[in-house]
Amino acid sequence: MSAFIRLSSLSLSDWCYLLALTGFLSQGVLNTIASTLGAVIPAVTDDWFTPVAIHVPFALYICARFIERRPLRFMPFVVVYSILLIMMLLSVVLHPEYVPTMFDETWSGSLWSTLLSPTAPVVAFLIVTLAPSGQLILLSLIIASYATFAGNVVRYAASTLRGYWIAVDSQGNEYASAYDLGFGYSVLLSVIVFTFLAFSGRRPWLHLAGAAVSLFMILFLTAAGLVLIANLNRILVSIQSWMAARGSNARSLDRLIDGSFTEDDARDNLGLISARLIDEGGPFGLGLYGDRYHIRRQYHWGYPHNFLDEMWVTYGWLGGTLLVIVGVALAIRAYLRARHTLHAALMVVFLPLIFQLWVSMSYLLSVWFWVLLAVTWRSLTLPREELGAGVRGRPGAPEPEYG
């Protein structure tokens, strides 16, 4: 059986699953759709539209599996989510001072978004572990990549016409920026998936062209950012005047212009703060949201922007190190067990997508971290015959379609 499947071969439950996982992997697109509809129908907001678009088909998929009496493996998610909840409760009991930060409804990094929301990144672990096959995971990833690529082209064109990007500073304020780091990470999805498809023999020239366009957007954005930064003060003054003439808030620009605020220094400061917190936390750390509680006093983001620092601050230099070692060992074992199967290929695809964890992301906020963890679990536990054929299928097999 090939790694790629025809849309016409999908059952109703497969279609429900495809809609659920594709929607989860491209939530930005769903949010944009909700905003567009909301301009016409005020009652439509992404607060409910996106969760409904994901979980209605997912609930139908689960119901169909029960009706068909096909197994559903809920226990892995129950175990993982229970561990996170236990960590949350321990933090509440041992560090009650964390509570206002943990449950701050005005902050996008609170537990309401990272753990307790129906679209929280950890939910990706549930959806992927319940996948009927690796082929549907791959198909969802491909469609999500197309949708995200289209959305990013629109974003790129809009920012080019506008002349600047809208970024968020360490205090949570929006400001005009020469670049958008988040945009580059979003486009990286298209680069990786399109390149994977091209080397898998799937419309190679089309996907190589898509990967090239994606790389162009990233590199051009970086180059333009460097040129703009070289003349930053002059450009910021011009943007400040333009915004002020329209009555817009330009406090962040004021701070940038007078030299009282620089995002470049923030990463160095985060490293210094994290080092101090690691010392304070000892072998078993400051607990869940210990980093947020301390760092958010200076920086709105509230986390170290480095995966190892986050592990060491939260779980301690001993606990965090053990978790990382065990995680890496299990990932290597999973890949070796799944070698030459679709799941091994999926691990290779998802691995570079968690690169952001090392420079500007938290594992609690990274959908790809939880997707990779779910694929790793599947590779470790599923019978090998359920891990799927290699991406090129059987030698001499007819060329299948994925949509």
Side-chain angles (χ1 to χ4, degrees):
M1 182 178 180
S2 171
F4 300 96
I5 55 177
R6 296 176 183 270
L7 289 175
S8 59
S9 69
L10 300 183
S11 66
L12 180 60
S13 64
D14 289 340
W15 271 105
C16 290
Y17 181 84
L18 180 66
L19 291 173
L21 182 56
T22 301
F24 200 94
L25 298 181
S26 50
Q27 291 184 44
V29 176
L30 291 179
N31 290 339
T32 300
I33 293 173
S35 299
T36 303
L37 292 175
V40 180
I41 309 172
V44 177
T45 66
D46 56 15
D47 289 337
W48 67 263
F49 179 87
T50 298
V52 166
I54 294 169
H55 288 289
V56 167
F58 187 53
L60 292 175
Y61 164 71
I62 291 175
C63 290
R65 296 281 289 196
F66 274 121
I67 293 172
E68 296 167 0
R69 296 184 178 180
R70 298 168 68 184
L72 284 168
R73 304 174 179 91
F74 285 103
M75 191 52 63
F77 176 74
V78 171
V79 171
V80 169
Y81 197 68
S82 296
I83 291 172
L84 290 174
L85 287 179
I86 289 170
M87 289 297 301
M88 179 190 77
L89 293 174
L90 284 175
S91 288
V92 169
V93 173
L94 299 178
H95 303 281
E97 68 274 16
Y98 294 178
V99 172
T101 300
M102 297 170 76
F103 297 97
D104 183 356
E105 294 183 358
T106 65
W107 178 42
S108 61
S110 72
L111 281 170
W112 296 116
S113 299
T114 60
L115 191 58
L116 302 177
S117 165
T119 56
V122 67
V123 177
F125 184 86
L126 170 65
I127 298 177
V128 174
T129 53
L130 294 183
S133 68
Q135 286 89 344
L136 273 176
I137 297 174
L138 176 59
L139 183 56
S140 300
L141 177 65
I142 292 170
I143 297 175
S145 299
Y146 283 141
T148 304
F149 175 77
N152 283 332
V153 169
V154 173
R155 286 178 63 195
Y156 183 84
S159 65
T160 301
L161 292 173
R162 187 171 56 234
Y164 60 90
W165 295 79
I166 303 297
V168 179
D169 66 21
S170 62
Q171 303 305 315
N173 303 311
E174 290 187 348
Y175 69 97
S177 174
Y179 64 95
D180 181 355
L181 187 63
F183 175 80
Y185 290 124
S186 179
V187 175
L188 185 62
L189 171 65
S190 302
V191 175
I192 293 170
V193 174
F194 290 169
T195 302
F196 166 78
L197 292 172
F199 281 95
S200 300
R202 313 304 302 177
R203 299 180 177 89
W205 292 112
L206 173 65
H207 288 123
L208 283 176
V213 171
S214 301
L215 275 174
F216 170 81
M217 289 192 291
I218 295 174
L219 296 176
F220 187 82
L221 177 64
T222 303
L226 292 175
V227 171
L228 289 170
I229 289 171
N231 300 279
L232 184 59
N233 200 66
R234 181 183 302 175
I235 293 170
L236 289 177
V237 170
S238 299
I239 296 174
Q240 180 194 45
S241 300
W242 181 86
M243 293 178 68
R246 288 158 178 77
S248 300
N249 189 332
R251 287 179 299 171
S252 298
L253 287 176
D254 295 339
R255 293 162 61 204
L256 281 167
I257 293 169
D258 66 22
S260 63
F261 173 85
T262 60
E263 292 296 329
D264 290 337
D265 290 341
R267 294 187 187 282
D268 294 336
N269 291 337
L270 284 171
L272 293 174
I273 295 171
S274 297
R276 175 175 58 80
L277 294 178
I278 292 168
D279 287 339
E280 290 181 7
F284 299 108
L286 297 173
L288 195 66
Y289 270 62
D291 55 343
R292 270 73 166 171
Y293 172 74
H294 293 281
I295 292 176
R296 193 164 179 252
R297 294 180 176 183
Q298 293 181 244
Y299 297 105
H300 172 78
W301 313 303
Y303 52 90
H305 281 53
N306 179 280
F307 179 69
L308 287 179
D309 282 348
E310 185 173 6
M311 290 293 101
W312 288 331
V313 173
T314 303
Y315 304 109
W317 57 262
L318 177 59
T321 299
L322 290 175
L323 282 174
V324 171
I325 291 174
V326 170
V328 171
L330 289 176
I332 293 173
R333 182 179 178 184
Y335 178 80
L336 293 176
R337 182 176 184 270
R339 192 165 41 182
H340 306 308
T341 71
L342 174 57
H343 275 65
L346 288 173
M347 290 184 69
V348 172
V349 172
F350 290 129
L351 185 61
L353 290 174
I354 67 168
F355 168 76
Q356 192 179 3
L357 286 174
W358 303 101
V359 292
S360 63
M361 179 56 77
S362 162
Y363 76 97
L364 290 174
L365 297 169
S366 172
V367 169
W368 302 115
F369 172 83
W370 296 106
V371 170
L372 178 59
L373 192 64
V375 173
T376 299
W377 176 85
R378 290 173 62 94
S379 300
L380 282 170
T381 60
L382 295 182
R384 186 172 171 82
E385 58 269 18
E386 294 185 27
L387 297 181
V391 292
R392 292 186 179 274
R394 299 189 308 272
E399 184 80 356
E401 296 179 359
Y402 54 82

